[in-house]
Amino acid sequence: MTNLSTRAEKLAAFDRLLTIMDELREQCPWDKKQTTESLRHLTIEETFELSDAILEGDPDEVKKELGDILLHIVFYARIGSEEGNFDITSMIDALCEKLIRRHPHIYGDTKAEDEEAVKQNWEKIKLTEKGNKSVLGGVPKSLPALIKAMRIQEKARGVGFDWEEKSQVWEKVEEEMQEFKEEFNVADDKEIDTEKASGEFGDLLFSLINYARFIDINPEEALERTNKKFIKRFQYLEAAAKESGKTLSEMTLAEMDVYWNEAKLKA
């Protein structure tokens, strides 16, 4: 493990980064051209790359991707200072003030005996900021639907709107499953009302995400791990088919199942 730095070394490293950012912004043709809008999609990409590194459990890659995100933060601050909107100091100061304000159990007289109390305090305080009229107002509109469902449920729980027992949540899953089955009965040949079935399927997914939250499973992470597992097994299937001199399109499903079952034993 790398030796941990002193506070002075950390401050010096951050100062060096700020100096390099200034030099790049002033001297590099590419860096000089960038705007908050042009950086936006790159920041999103870097965030997903960090997510991949975390799921892979690769500390070196996590460090690298965190560095890339830190670069973007410093970049936005530099642009903000040029436009007279904010700089790295005002950005960090605002963050520090927010953290102090939202942790009254540390910096004030509020009591919070457990994690749940902390979350509830956080949401109540957040609701008083920026004139928020709804607890759900802070959920970004552009979040992917699965993550958005998680955040909606977490925020509702933060003000006490939630199920009491996980058994109740599972009953809701079964209820939604039955409703979906009634709309999309595979044994029935009649035409399906796609819009209505889609609505019932959305309700089912929402209830499953809710149950995952209740048993401390991150559904986004769980699904991504399954995606990676499927990719790994499918690529084994492709490689095994190629080794046998065939392509997948030439094989029967039964033939593919043989290699698929081999892949399951390996991963």
Side-chain angles (χ1 to χ4, degrees):
M1 180 179 178
T2 304
N3 291 331
L4 297 180
S5 307
T6 64
R7 177 58 66 91
E9 289 170 332
K10 293 172 184 176
L11 292 173
F14 192 63
D15 181 67
R16 183 186 180 205
L17 174 60
L18 293 177
T19 299
I20 292 172
M21 182 73 258
D22 288 342
E23 292 169 346
L24 294 178
R25 184 67 173 170
E26 292 163 9
Q27 300 175 37
C28 174
W30 186 88
D31 289 279
K32 287 167 71 173
K33 275 187 64 177
Q34 301 314 306
T35 64
T36 52
E37 290 77 14
S38 69
L39 288 174
R40 176 181 170 275
H41 76 280
L42 298 174
T43 307
I44 293 170
E45 183 179 329
E46 294 294 354
T47 304
F48 279 111
E49 288 179 0
L50 171 62
S51 175
D52 286 344
I54 292 172
L55 288 177
E56 293 294 334
D58 188 332
D60 288 336
E61 279 298 305
V62 170
K63 179 179 72 173
K64 171 180 166 295
E65 298 303 340
L66 282 171
D68 290 342
I69 289 176
L70 179 57
L71 169 61
H72 280 237
I73 292 170
V74 171
F75 211 149
Y76 287 119
R78 167 68 196 223
I79 295 172
S81 68
E82 294 170 359
E83 296 174 346
N85 297 323
F86 60 88
D87 62 10
I88 194 71
T89 304
S90 61
M91 185 185 74
I92 293 175
D93 283 344
L95 171 61
C96 290
E97 291 302 320
K98 181 173 72 174
L99 290 173
I100 291 170
R101 188 170 61 251
R102 293 191 186 178
H103 289 81
H105 54 290
I106 302 297
Y107 301 104
D109 299 326
T110 302
K111 300 295 183 183
E113 303 297 336
D114 54 28
E115 177 190 359
E116 194 57 41
V118 172
K119 288 181 178 179
Q120 290 185 7
N121 284 337
W122 180 282
E123 292 300 339
K124 289 175 183 176
I125 294 168
K126 190 172 181 179
L127 192 57
T128 66
E129 298 172 350
K130 297 185 297 186
N132 282 338
K133 297 180 180 179
S134 170
V135 171
L136 305 182
V139 180
K141 295 178 182 178
S142 58
L143 274 180
L146 194 151
I147 300 176
K148 186 187 289 186
M150 288 169 53
R151 295 298 294 133
I152 288 170
Q153 293 167 6
E154 288 169 354
K155 285 183 174 293
R157 180 178 179 80
V159 291
F161 186 78
D162 203 4
W163 301 94
E164 294 179 351
E165 304 290 339
K166 67 178 181 181
S167 59
Q168 298 172 309
V169 189
W170 185 248
E171 286 174 5
K172 185 63 176 175
V173 172
E174 292 181 320
E175 176 189 323
E176 297 294 352
M177 176 65 83
Q178 183 58 38
E179 290 181 7
F180 177 68
K181 185 178 179 181
E182 290 172 1
E183 290 300 325
F184 186 59
N185 190 335
V186 294
D188 195 336
D189 291 333
K190 67 181 181 182
E191 189 174 346
I192 297 163
D193 184 333
T194 306
E195 185 174 345
K196 193 172 182 182
S198 178
E200 295 295 347
F201 187 68
D203 291 345
L204 175 58
L205 283 178
F206 194 85
S207 65
L208 281 169
I209 292 167
N210 216 358
Y211 187 73
R213 178 177 58 84
F214 247 79
I215 59 175
D216 293 323
I217 291 175
N218 184 311
E220 167 70 19
E221 183 177 313
L223 182 58
E224 181 57 16
R225 289 186 185 279
T226 295
N227 288 339
K228 288 180 177 292
K229 182 169 61 178
F230 183 91
I231 289 170
K232 189 173 182 180
R233 290 176 179 176
F234 192 82
Q235 288 176 341
Y236 175 90
L237 170 62
E238 289 177 314
K242 185 176 181 180
E243 193 173 324
S244 69
K246 296 182 178 180
T247 63
L248 295 184
S249 60
E250 297 170 338
M251 298 172 66
T252 66
L253 187 57
E255 289 175 320
M256 286 190 278
D257 275 342
V258 173
Y259 293 128
W260 184 262
N261 289 329
E262 287 179 9
K264 287 170 66 176
L265 293 175
K266 294 178 181 290

